[in-house]
Amino acid sequence: MTLAELATTLKLECLTPRLAVEAERDIGYGYVSDLLSDVLAHAPEGGVLVTIQAHLNMVAVALHAGLAGVILAGGRRPDADVIERASAEGVPLWLANEPAFDLVGRLYELGIRGRRA
């Protein structure tokens, strides 16, 4: 399943529409955490991150961890500078109004699994 298909199925709001090509990447794994050092240490490369961290450090961590994209849960909309940085760095951002717990449950139903890095 691609990130774009996930976004459509879960009715996620795309915050970085200029990254449509990146959204076509296949996603098989996911990770949920709000502790960015944990994400760096354990998130699977090429996976999708679910978090409520909507600041610039989240973009840097996603980039260094090699994540395919980030879903911001709980309606945590980032500031414009965060969206601009994510677009410039090629990190697709999506916004979900659902809480992280519910969102991860829906990802699991769609076949996205956690994996140790």
Side-chain angles (χ1 to χ4, degrees), residues 80-104:
D81 62 328
V82 174
I83 295 170
E84 186 60 36
R85 177 67 62 87
S87 293
E89 298 289 351
V91 177
L93 297 181
W94 305 86
L95 181 66
N97 288 320
E98 295 178 76
F101 186 85
D102 295 351
L103 186 59
V104 170

Side-chain angles (χ1 to χ4, degrees), residues 18-40:
R18 292 186 302 185
L19 301 177
V21 173
E22 295 293 327
E24 295 305 320
R25 289 177 63 176
D26 282 324
I27 303 297
Y29 298 99
Y31 201 76
V32 60
S33 182
D34 296 322
L35 184 60
L36 297 181
S37 61
D38 176 57
V39 173
L40 280 172

Side-chain angles (χ1 to χ4, degrees), residues 15-16 52-59 72 75-87 91 93 95:
L15 300 176
T16 53
I52 62 168
Q53 298 293 334
H55 50 74
L56 280 173
N57 288 344
M58 171 272 303
V59 175
L72 299 166
R76 304 284 177 115
R77 183 177 296 277
D79 291 337
D81 62 328
V82 174
I83 295 170
E84 186 60 36
R85 177 67 62 87
S87 293
V91 177
L93 297 181
L95 181 66

